[in-house]
Amino acid sequence: MDMQATLEEIVKAVAPLKGQGTVASYIPSLGGVPPEKFGICVAMADGPVYGAGDWHEPFSIQSISKVFSLALVMARDYDSIWKRVFREPSGTPFNSLVQLEADKGIPRNPFINAGAIVVTDRLLTLTGDAAGSIRGLLRQEAGNPTIDIDATVAASEARHGHRNAAMAHLLASFGNLENPVDDVLANYFDQCALAMCCEDLALSARFLARQGVSTGGSPFLSPNQSKRVNAVMLTCGTYDAAGEFAYRVGLPGKSGVGGGIVAIVPGRCSIAVWGPELDANGNSVVGTAALDEFTTRTGWSVF
Ligand code: GLN
């Protein structure tokens, strides 16, 4: 297969879908991102990297950061996070408060906001700098020391992050935060505001296609932990649309409201796509379609 040609064909195939979604605007500084952008990158487990479209343009990774915070916590703490977070699909939007009250402060999974806030809290306890340790992992895996937090996006979300603040306070009221609410939220907003391009993102997530082996060749996660992170991505990584995403794409994936999605073909490659227009569940319209095209054309799926 000619991977480069395949990616260029996918860029053409998904172009007509532009205009069908909406750029996230509840974080005001994300609202100004040009909606027509689209990039795709494939990082092969054994080294080669391919890309097409706007694959070198940085974007806000938002909830994709939740994969890296979970991996960092599991690497240090093994399984203890699962006493504080479930790992079931939520069936509610990523920012819903409703379940958290009924479930007595234990979030349904680490990829909805409530669960991610608990994971960030744990990472803050373990490292003293949750967002900084995620940035360190991304820089190391992508081999790019310029990857950074977009301070404007972080400040914009902090100013308008009432729902996340409510969630963090509710978690604290149930005794499910170890650190002060303000410190946890600051780290959470910073990690969501990390900016990187498709190439950096595909390289950063590649350890999940390599049974946990990092870019430098050392084990970051065990094969077993890598399997588990992929499993949670498959069942919970695209929120309410995880069933639809599994049906269409057939891969573990994690989306963010910046329009990025990272998907893993275990043993083969990691894939990053970016298209800012979102569907009603907060997943990139063009990005999901491109991943559907990718697995359909290559036959590379976990099913
Ligand atoms: N920072 C965003 C929020 O908390 C992340 C949500 C997302 O990407 N789905 O609302």
Side-chain angles (χ1 to χ4, degrees), residues 67-133:
V67 172
F68 302 106
S69 49
L70 178 65
L72 281 163
V73 165
M74 287 180 72
R76 283 171 175 71
D77 238 8
Y78 203 63
D79 264 352
S80 60
I81 193 68
W82 303 118
K83 294 192 189 87
R84 298 175 55 192
V85 185
F86 296 130
R87 39 180 192 253
E88 293 298 339
S90 69
T92 56
F94 64 83
N95 57 3
S96 170
L97 277 151
V98 176
Q99 251 170 4
L100 194 55
E101 170 80 358
D103 290 346
K104 300 193 168 45
I106 307 291
R108 278 295 165 97
N109 68 66
F111 293 153
I112 52 170
N113 289 9
I117 289 170
V118 170
V119 174
T120 297
D121 174 57
R122 186 63 195 148
L123 191 57
L124 184 57
T125 302
L126 292 167
T127 64
D129 180 2
S133 66

Side-chain angles (χ1 to χ4, degrees), residues 57-62 135 138 144 146-151 153 190-198 200-201:
E57 255 187 69
F59 59 91
S60 190
I61 66 169
Q62 292 296 320
R135 177 177 55 195
L138 301 177
N144 178 358
T146 71
I147 291 171
D148 219 337
I149 294 157
D150 182 330
V153 173
D190 276 357
Q191 78 177 65
C192 289
L194 279 156
M196 58 206 294
C197 67
C198 289
D200 289 339
L201 183 57

Side-chain angles (χ1 to χ4, degrees), residues 26-27 62-63 66 94 113 157 164 188 192 239 255-258:
Y26 76 98
I27 301 172
Q62 292 296 320
S63 282
K66 298 169 182 175
F94 64 83
N113 289 9
E157 179 161 15
N164 286 322
Y188 174 75
C192 289
Y239 317 114
S255 61
V257 291

Side-chain angles (χ1 to χ4, degrees), residues 70-295:
L70 178 65
L72 281 163
V73 165
M74 287 180 72
R76 283 171 175 71
D77 238 8
Y78 203 63
D79 264 352
S80 60
I81 193 68
W82 303 118
K83 294 192 189 87
R84 298 175 55 192
V85 185
F86 296 130
R87 39 180 192 253
E88 293 298 339
S90 69
T92 56
F94 64 83
N95 57 3
S96 170
L97 277 151
V98 176
Q99 251 170 4
L100 194 55
E101 170 80 358
D103 290 346
K104 300 193 168 45
I106 307 291
R108 278 295 165 97
N109 68 66
F111 293 153
I112 52 170
N113 289 9
I117 289 170
V118 170
V119 174
T120 297
D121 174 57
R122 186 63 195 148
L123 191 57
L124 184 57
T125 302
L126 292 167
T127 64
D129 180 2
S133 66
I134 298 168
R135 177 177 55 195
L137 173 67
L138 301 177
R139 287 179 174 179
Q140 173 195 301
E141 292 306 296
N144 178 358
T146 71
I147 291 171
D148 219 337
I149 294 157
D150 182 330
T152 308
V153 173
S156 178
E157 179 161 15
R159 251 195 320 279
H160 296 87
H162 306 300
R163 195 168 263 276
N164 286 322
M167 232 170 265
H169 282 286
L170 194 52
L171 288 163
S173 81
F174 281 108
N176 201 4
L177 284 189
E178 297 169 338
N179 296 281
V181 163
D182 289 348
D183 296 351
V184 178
L185 284 174
N187 274 273
Y188 174 75
F189 295 142
D190 276 357
Q191 78 177 65
C192 289
L194 279 156
M196 58 206 294
C197 67
C198 289
E199 179 173 15
D200 289 339
L201 183 57
L203 288 170
S204 295
R206 192 177 48 175
F207 66 88
L208 291 168
R210 293 166 29 121
Q211 299 208 312
V213 175
S214 67
T215 291
S218 56
F220 165 49
L221 295 182
S222 69
N224 189 33
Q225 289 174 317
S226 180
K227 176 187 78 176
R228 298 197 191 293
V229 174
N230 273 299
V232 181
M233 287 169 73
L234 181 74
T235 51
C236 310
T238 45
Y239 317 114
D240 253 5
E244 178 69 8
F245 187 85
Y247 177 81
R248 288 183 65 191
V249 176
L251 292 175
K254 181 74 206 82
S255 61
V257 291
I261 308 177
V262 68
I264 306 297
V265 189
R268 280 199 197 264
C269 66
S270 53
I271 312 155
V273 292
W274 171 53
E277 292 179 326
L278 308 178
D279 63 20
N281 291 302
N283 301 313
S284 170
V285 173
V286 181
T288 305
L291 290 167
D292 181 351
E293 287 283 342
F294 180 85
T295 52

